[in-house]
Amino acid sequence: GLNFIDLMVRQGNIDNPPKTPLVPGFECSGIVEALGDGVKGFEIGDRVMAFVNYNAWAEVVCTPVEFVYKIPDDMSFSEAAAFPMNFVTAYMMLFEVANLREGMSVLVHSAGGGVGQAVAQLCSTIPNVTVFGTASSFKHEAIKDSVTHLFDRNADYVQEVKRISTDGVDIVLDCLCGENTGKGLSLLKPLGTYILYGSSNMVTGETKSFFSFAKSWWQVEKVNPIKLYEENKVIAGFSLLNLLFKQNRGGLIKGVMDKLLNLYTNKKIKPVVDSLWALEEV
């Protein structure tokens, strides 16, 4: 799978990237070629998808068994390579962190991205959930069916959202960072949750720029804890890779994958594959 985080790594915009030469990639699908001693539940020849702590863009990949999942019979390898990261991230933010329930509303930035599309699809599995999305206009056609209200990413979405829902939204999912934090918090209803899960505004152009990183960081208005208390608002952060590889929550993620694969089998969700590339073209 090729995800936004891979571009961050490629541009050096993440903390402590491994020393080069390195093989990028955090998720893959394929066929089990060999098993470690005492590995149960899998056999050579099984079709699987997996999380990997780097090194996924390779012909042979090695990863602990707790990060490996069987692919449903009707799922293609390319769908499987696009499935774990986006859907687990979206699911955990919506249901584990923000407690999405019937009748709620969600604002998601980058609605055309992998996580954004997964968020919109998962919201449609709960009755009566309204999804507000921002995306570049060229992506609108592809996602218009799963997003209730779609805005151009450069539009004044705060006014647009308030015009439709005067008291704001229950959940804001923000992968942009920078100047959107204050706007997102201002749109939250009481007991609403604002989740920061990435930082696309911190990537600019072809080269890494520490100054653009610092600048966008300083644009984040300082969040006042007393104000959060007075307004009954929740602000949270989410990093799937840290949860998997630094905080040892593989078991929790396995439970989430089971639920997601069940939704896939029942035709409620489906990964969107943008394009396929030969390994030598990567």
Side-chain angles (χ1 to χ4, degrees):
L2 166 57
N3 292 289
F4 191 80
I5 182 74
D6 298 305
L7 306 186
M8 300 276 285
V9 171
R10 150 94 173 66
Q11 297 186 354
N13 273 318
I14 59 159
D15 290 339
N16 310 315
K19 299 273 181 288
T20 50
L22 81 101
V23 176
F26 295 99
E27 64 181 345
C28 61
S29 64
I31 294 166
V32 175
E33 191 166 288
L35 302 171
D37 293 340
V39 168
K40 302 211 172 28
F42 292 95
E43 292 174 16
I44 289 171
D46 281 350
R47 299 168 76 246
V48 294
M49 54 188 147
F51 288 111
V52 200
N53 195 4
Y54 288 98
N55 299 307
W57 296 357
E59 289 174 31
V60 178
V61 169
C62 186
T63 195
V65 69
E66 68 169 329
F67 302 140
V68 183
Y69 317 92
K70 287 189 177 159
I71 300 177
D73 291 341
D74 56 348
M75 186 186 275
S76 68
F77 282 119
S78 53
E79 282 183 325
F83 189 80
M85 224 148 131
N86 293 327
F87 276 97
V88 170
T89 298
Y91 188 97
M92 294 199 74
M93 290 195 299
L94 289 172
F95 297 107
E96 303 277 337
V97 182
N99 197 15
L100 176 67
R101 299 184 299 288
E102 184 173 347
M104 281 188 166
S105 52
V106 179
L107 168 64
V108 59
H109 290 301
S110 299
V115 173
Q117 292 183 19
V119 163
Q121 288 187 30
L122 287 168
C123 285
S124 68
T125 68
I126 305 292
N128 250 349
V129 170
T130 305
V131 181
F132 297 92
T134 69
S136 304
S137 49
F138 70 91
K139 292 184 176 173
H140 287 200
E141 188 58 34
I143 55 177
K144 65 179 193 305
D145 294 338
S146 55
V147 177
T148 328
H149 303 287
L150 195 51
F151 311 121
D152 190 273
R153 64 171 300 181
N154 300 316
D156 181 0
Y157 61 85
V158 175
Q159 295 314 322
E160 295 281 338
V161 172
K162 284 190 166 158
R163 188 172 54 76
I164 297 162
S165 172
T166 43
D167 54 349
V169 297
D170 296 291
I171 300 167
V172 175
L173 303 177
D174 182 5
C175 60
L176 297 171
C177 195
E179 73 277 9
N180 285 284
T181 310
K183 292 180 186 174
L185 276 171
S186 75
L187 280 173
L188 270 193
K189 291 180 185 177
L191 301 182
T193 306
Y194 177 100
I195 306 175
L196 194 61
Y197 71 95
S199 43
S200 37
N201 278 0
M202 293 182 181
V203 180
T204 53
E206 272 296 295
T207 55
K208 74 171 175 179
S209 162
F210 174 76
F211 295 104
S212 70
F213 179 95
K215 184 163 134 273
S216 69
W217 178 247
W218 286 114
Q219 282 168 357
V220 177
E221 284 130 73
K222 302 295 177 275
V223 175
N224 180 342
I226 301 295
K227 208 167 166 223
L228 290 176
Y229 153 78
E230 288 172 346
E231 296 180 356
N232 279 304
K233 292 180 178 179
V234 178
I235 188 163
F238 183 77
S239 162
L240 178 58
L241 294 180
N242 284 352
L243 209 57
L244 280 168
F245 303 127
K246 289 184 180 168
Q247 295 154 348
N248 303 319
R249 292 297 189 274
L252 172 66
I253 309 270
K254 176 151 190 14
V256 169
M257 274 295 276
D258 290 343
K259 291 173 185 160
L260 286 166
L261 290 172
N262 193 27
L263 286 170
Y264 176 86
T265 308
N266 290 317
K267 308 240 181 309
K268 295 276 186 3
I269 59 173
K270 187 178 174 64
V272 180
V273 177
D274 176 81
S275 55
L276 299 172
W277 298 83
L279 194 57
E280 57 270 20
E281 292 177 299
V282 168

Coordinates of all heavy atoms in Angstrom, one line a residue, residues 19-54:
K19 N 17.8 5.0 9.2 CA 18.9 5.4 8.3 C 18.8 4.8 6.9 O 18.3 3.7 6.8 CB 20.3 4.9 8.9 CG 20.6 5.5 10.3 CD 21.3 6.8 10.2 CE 21.6 7.4 11.6 NZ 20.4 7.9 12.4
T20 N 19.1 5.6 5.9 CA 19.1 5.0 4.6 C 20.4 4.1 4.4 O 21.3 4.3 5.2 CB 19.2 6.1 3.5 OG1 20.3 7.0 3.8 CG2 18.0 6.9 3.5
P21 N 20.4 3.1 3.5 CA 19.2 2.8 2.6 C 18.1 2.1 3.4 O 18.3 1.3 4.3 CB 19.8 1.8 1.7 CG 21.0 1.1 2.4 CD 21.5 2.2 3.3
L22 N 16.8 2.5 3.1 CA 15.7 1.9 3.8 C 14.6 1.6 2.7 O 14.6 2.2 1.7 CB 15.2 2.8 4.8 CG 14.2 3.9 4.4 CD1 12.8 3.5 4.7 CD2 14.5 5.2 5.2
V23 N 13.8 0.6 3.0 CA 12.7 0.2 2.2 C 11.5 0.7 2.8 O 11.2 0.4 4.0 CB 12.6 -1.4 2.1 CG1 11.4 -1.7 1.3 CG2 13.9 -1.9 1.5
P24 N 10.7 1.6 2.1 CA 9.5 2.2 2.7 C 8.3 1.2 2.8 O 8.5 0.0 2.3 CB 9.2 3.4 1.8 CG 10.3 3.5 0.8 CD 11.0 2.2 0.8
G25 N 7.2 1.7 3.3 CA 6.0 0.9 3.2 C 5.6 0.3 4.6 O 6.5 -0.3 5.3
F26 N 4.3 0.4 4.9 CA 3.9 -0.1 6.3 C 2.7 -1.1 6.1 O 2.3 -1.6 7.2 CB 3.3 1.1 7.1 CG 4.4 2.1 7.4 CD1 4.6 3.3 6.7 CD2 5.3 1.9 8.5 CE1 5.6 4.2 7.0 CE2 6.3 2.8 8.8 CZ 6.4 4.0 8.1
E27 N 2.3 -1.4 4.9 CA 1.3 -2.4 4.8 C 1.4 -3.2 3.5 O 2.0 -2.6 2.5 CB -0.2 -1.8 4.9 CG -0.5 -0.9 3.8 CD -1.9 -0.3 3.9 OE1 -2.7 -0.8 4.7 OE2 -2.1 0.7 3.2
C28 N 1.0 -4.4 3.4 CA 1.2 -5.2 2.2 C 0.2 -6.3 2.2 O -0.5 -6.6 3.2 CB 2.6 -5.8 2.1 SG 3.0 -6.9 3.5
S29 N 0.1 -7.0 1.0 CA -0.7 -8.2 0.9 C 0.1 -9.2 0.1 O 1.0 -8.8 -0.7 CB -2.0 -7.9 0.2 OG -1.8 -7.5 -1.1
G30 N -0.1 -10.5 0.3 CA 0.6 -11.5 -0.4 C 0.3 -12.9 0.1 O -0.8 -13.1 0.7
I31 N 1.2 -13.8 -0.2 CA 0.9 -15.2 0.1 C 2.0 -15.7 1.1 O 3.2 -15.4 0.9 CB 1.0 -16.1 -1.2 CG1 -0.1 -15.7 -2.1 CG2 1.0 -17.6 -0.9 CD1 0.0 -16.2 -3.5
V32 N 1.6 -16.4 2.1 CA 2.5 -16.9 3.1 C 3.5 -17.8 2.5 O 3.2 -18.8 1.9 CB 1.8 -17.6 4.3 CG1 2.8 -18.1 5.3 CG2 0.9 -16.6 5.0
E33 N 4.8 -17.5 2.7 CA 5.9 -18.3 2.1 C 6.6 -19.2 3.1 O 7.1 -20.2 2.8 CB 6.9 -17.4 1.4 CG 7.9 -18.1 0.5 CD 8.6 -17.1 -0.4 OE1 8.0 -16.7 -1.4 OE2 9.8 -16.9 -0.2
A34 N 6.7 -18.6 4.3 CA 7.3 -19.4 5.4 C 6.8 -18.9 6.8 O 6.3 -17.8 6.9 CB 8.8 -19.2 5.4
L35 N 6.8 -19.8 7.8 CA 6.3 -19.5 9.1 C 7.4 -19.6 10.1 O 8.3 -20.5 10.0 CB 5.2 -20.5 9.5 CG 4.0 -20.6 8.6 CD1 3.2 -21.8 9.0 CD2 3.2 -19.4 8.6
G36 N 7.4 -18.7 11.1 CA 8.4 -18.8 12.2 C 8.0 -20.0 13.1 O 6.9 -20.6 13.0
D37 N 8.9 -20.4 14.0 CA 8.7 -21.5 14.9 C 7.5 -21.3 15.7 O 7.3 -20.2 16.3 CB 9.9 -21.8 15.8 CG 11.1 -22.2 15.0 OD1 10.9 -22.7 13.9 OD2 12.3 -22.1 15.5
G38 N 6.6 -22.3 15.8 CA 5.5 -22.2 16.7 C 4.4 -21.2 16.3 O 3.5 -20.9 17.1
V39 N 4.4 -20.8 15.0 CA 3.3 -19.9 14.6 C 2.1 -20.7 14.3 O 2.1 -21.7 13.6 CB 3.8 -19.1 13.3 CG1 2.5 -18.5 12.6 CG2 4.8 -18.1 13.6
K40 N 1.0 -20.3 14.9 CA -0.3 -21.1 14.7 C -1.3 -20.2 13.9 O -1.2 -19.0 14.0 CB -0.9 -21.4 16.0 CG 0.1 -22.3 16.9 CD -0.7 -23.3 17.8 CE 0.2 -24.2 18.5 NZ 1.6 -23.8 18.8
G41 N -2.3 -20.8 13.3 CA -3.4 -20.1 12.7 C -3.1 -19.8 11.2 O -4.1 -19.3 10.6
F42 N -1.9 -20.0 10.7 CA -1.6 -19.7 9.3 C -0.9 -20.9 8.7 O -0.2 -21.6 9.4 CB -0.8 -18.5 9.2 CG -1.5 -17.2 9.5 CD1 -1.3 -16.6 10.8 CD2 -2.3 -16.5 8.6 CE1 -2.0 -15.5 11.2 CE2 -2.9 -15.4 9.0 CZ -2.8 -14.8 10.2
E43 N -1.1 -21.0 7.4 CA -0.3 -22.1 6.7 C 0.3 -21.5 5.5 O -0.1 -20.5 4.9 CB -1.3 -23.2 6.2 CG -1.9 -24.0 7.4 CD -2.9 -25.0 6.9 OE1 -3.0 -25.3 5.7 OE2 -3.7 -25.5 7.8
I44 N 1.4 -22.2 5.0 CA 2.1 -21.7 3.8 C 1.0 -21.8 2.7 O 0.3 -22.7 2.5 CB 3.3 -22.6 3.5 CG1 4.4 -22.3 4.5 CG2 3.8 -22.4 2.1 CD1 5.5 -23.2 4.5
G45 N 1.0 -20.7 1.9 CA 0.0 -20.6 0.8 C -1.2 -19.8 1.1 O -2.0 -19.4 0.2
D46 N -1.4 -19.4 2.4 CA -2.5 -18.5 2.8 C -2.4 -17.2 2.1 O -1.3 -16.6 2.0 CB -2.6 -18.4 4.3 CG -3.2 -19.6 5.0 OD1 -3.7 -20.4 4.3 OD2 -3.1 -19.6 6.3
R47 N -3.5 -16.6 1.7 CA -3.6 -15.2 1.2 C -3.7 -14.3 2.5 O -4.7 -14.5 3.2 CB -4.8 -15.0 0.3 CG -4.7 -15.8 -0.9 CD -6.1 -15.8 -1.7 NE -6.3 -14.6 -2.4 CZ -7.2 -13.7 -2.2 NH1 -8.0 -13.8 -1.2 NH2 -7.3 -12.6 -2.9
V48 N -2.8 -13.4 2.6 CA -2.8 -12.5 3.8 C -2.5 -11.1 3.5 O -2.0 -10.8 2.5 CB -1.8 -13.0 4.9 CG1 -2.1 -14.4 5.4 CG2 -0.4 -13.0 4.3
M49 N -2.9 -10.2 4.5 CA -2.5 -8.8 4.5 C -1.8 -8.6 5.8 O -2.1 -9.2 6.8 CB -3.6 -7.9 4.2 CG -4.8 -8.0 5.1 SD -6.2 -7.0 4.6 CE -7.5 -8.0 5.1
A50 N -0.9 -7.5 5.9 CA -0.2 -7.4 7.1 C 0.3 -5.9 7.3 O 0.5 -5.2 6.3 CB 1.1 -8.3 7.1
F51 N 0.5 -5.5 8.5 CA 1.2 -4.3 8.9 C 2.7 -4.7 9.0 O 3.0 -5.7 9.5 CB 0.7 -3.8 10.2 CG -0.7 -3.2 10.2 CD1 -1.7 -3.8 10.8 CD2 -0.9 -2.0 9.5 CE1 -3.0 -3.2 10.8 CE2 -2.2 -1.4 9.4 CZ -3.2 -2.0 10.1
V52 N 3.5 -3.8 8.6 CA 5.0 -4.0 8.7 C 5.6 -2.6 9.2 O 5.2 -1.6 8.7 CB 5.6 -4.3 7.3 CG1 6.9 -5.0 7.5 CG2 4.7 -5.2 6.5
N53 N 6.6 -2.7 10.0 CA 7.2 -1.5 10.5 C 8.4 -1.2 9.5 O 9.5 -1.5 9.8 CB 7.8 -1.7 11.9 CG 8.1 -0.4 12.6 OD1 7.9 0.7 12.0 ND2 8.7 -0.5 13.8
Y54 N 8.0 -0.6 8.4 CA 8.9 -0.3 7.2 C 9.1 -1.7 6.5 O 8.7 -2.7 7.0 CB 10.2 0.3 7.6 CG 10.1 1.7 8.1 CD1 10.1 2.1 9.4 CD2 10.1 2.7 7.1 CE1 10.0 3.4 9.8 CE2 10.0 4.1 7.5 CZ 9.9 4.4 8.9 OH 9.8 5.7 9.2

